[in-house]
């Protein structure tokens, strides 16, 4: 079976689906007017790279099976999961019943214009999250439900509550959960366990982000440099040159060198600017 005959699945990124056939944008729009924003190429650069078909269906409040079936039908393919029986879109368990603390101080962060302009907002979001005090709540305004953030920030000890004011206007509150977190910048694994990752030495820490979907490589790298000591180098191991990362490194006072001499990986050497 070639890539062009493999049915679209709920776990596929919207970006990858549209890369197969850009006209599938109209299938999304017919499924829900919520997806009209996908016609905007600038917004698509950020939004479509982050969310899966399942997450997109959830934010539009339509059945995942139906959306997958219609996408595959447009390609002349039968989707295996739908034909085997409808599977309801799972609810976001983290958000069920969660309400942000009513009396907490609220830090506002509006990234709607960033998203409309095709600028990635993660540097601003993660900076705001990192600066958030234990008794504060971050209110994020976005043009779609930022579902990819949920799992990342949940692992860092944050609960969330989401509310849609309109199809392109969302508020999501993040606050530190009473249940606490298992992950802090110092406890986030720096390796996927691959055999070809060198061991850390006196000068270098290695961070393997291969195999992670966006924005996880970006998030892990930004978390890792939070605790990077001066004089040490963080070596990010990636499958490609991480172009989105470089402006954020510059903003934070870091320099980098790219090593593309290996056939199977790109190494980015990151250190504090002198």
């Amino acid at each position: 079976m070639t890539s062009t005959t493999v049915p679209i699945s709920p776990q596929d990124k919207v970006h990858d689906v549209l890369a197969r056939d850009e006209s599938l944008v109209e299938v999304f729009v017919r499924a829900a007017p919520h997806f009209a924003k996908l016609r905007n190429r600038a917004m698509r650069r950020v939004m479509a790279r982050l969310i899966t078909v399942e997450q997109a269906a959830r934010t539009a409040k339509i059945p995942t099976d139906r959306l997958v079936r219609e996408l595959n039908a447009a390609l002349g393919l039968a989707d295996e999961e739908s034909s085997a029986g409808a599977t309801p879109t799972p609810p976001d368990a983290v958000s069920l019943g969660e309400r942000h603390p009513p009396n907490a101080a609220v830090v506002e962060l509006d990234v709607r214009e960033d998203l409309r302009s095709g600028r990635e907002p993660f540097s601003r979001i993660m900076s705001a999250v990192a600066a958030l005090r234990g008794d504060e709540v971050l209110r994020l305004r976005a043009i779609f439900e930022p579902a990819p953030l949920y799992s990342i920030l949940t692992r860092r000890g944050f609960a969330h509550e989401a509310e849609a004011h309109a199809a392109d206007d969302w508020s999501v509150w993040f606050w530190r959960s009473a249940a606490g977190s298992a992950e802090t910048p110092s406890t986030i694994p720096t390796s996927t366990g691959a055999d070809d990752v060198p061991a850390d030495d006196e000068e270098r820490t290695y961070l393997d982000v291969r195999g992670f979907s966006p924005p996880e490589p970006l998030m892990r790298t930004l978390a890792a440099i939070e605790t990077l000591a001066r004089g040490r180098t963080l070596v990010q191991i990636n499958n490609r040159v991480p172009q989105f990362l470089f402006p954020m490194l510059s903003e934070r006072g870091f320099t980098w060198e790219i090593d593309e001499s290996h056939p199977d990986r790109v190494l980015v050497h990151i250190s504090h600017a002198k």
Side-chain angles (χ1 to χ4, degrees), residues 167-272:
D168 61 350
D169 186 4
W170 285 77
S171 286
V172 183
W173 292 265
F174 293 100
W175 67 97
R176 296 186 191 282
S177 169
S181 170
E183 280 193 356
T184 64
S186 61
T187 61
I188 293 174
T190 57
S191 173
T192 55
D195 295 335
D196 58 352
V197 178
D200 294 351
D201 56 34
E202 293 182 354
E203 298 179 350
R204 289 172 290 269
T205 299
Y206 291 88
L207 175 66
D208 185 8
V209 298
R210 296 170 296 177
F212 291 112
S213 299
E216 194 83 357
L218 188 71
M219 300 300 187
R220 287 177 176 269
T221 304
L222 295 179
I225 63 174
E226 286 181 24
T227 56
L228 186 67
R230 286 194 172 274
R232 284 191 67 80
T233 298
L234 176 71
V235 183
Q236 188 210 58
I237 306 173
N238 207 323
N239 289 321
R240 61 185 65 83
V241 177
Q243 298 290 354
F244 280 150
L245 174 64
F246 302 141
M248 300 179 207
L249 294 178
S250 182
E251 290 173 2
R252 287 165 169 74
F254 287 85
T255 61
W256 62 92
E257 294 182 3
I258 304 169
D259 178 0
E260 297 184 85
S261 63
H262 303 272
D264 60 342
R265 68 185 68 183
V266 173
L267 303 181
V268 183
H269 297 253
I270 303 168
S271 56
H272 288 273

Side-chain angles (χ1 to χ4, degrees), residues 15-27:
H15 173 272
D16 296 333
V17 171
L18 298 181
R20 295 175 65 160
D21 187 338
E22 190 172 356
S23 69
L24 293 176
V25 166
E26 298 308 317
V27 177

Side-chain angles (χ1 to χ4, degrees), residues 8-13 52-55 64-65 68 79 81:
I8 293 169
S9 78
Q11 289 71 44
D12 288 346
K13 287 284 193 298
T52 64
V53 173
E54 178 183 333
Q55 290 169 335
T64 301
D65 295 291
V68 171
D79 78 273
E81 294 189 20

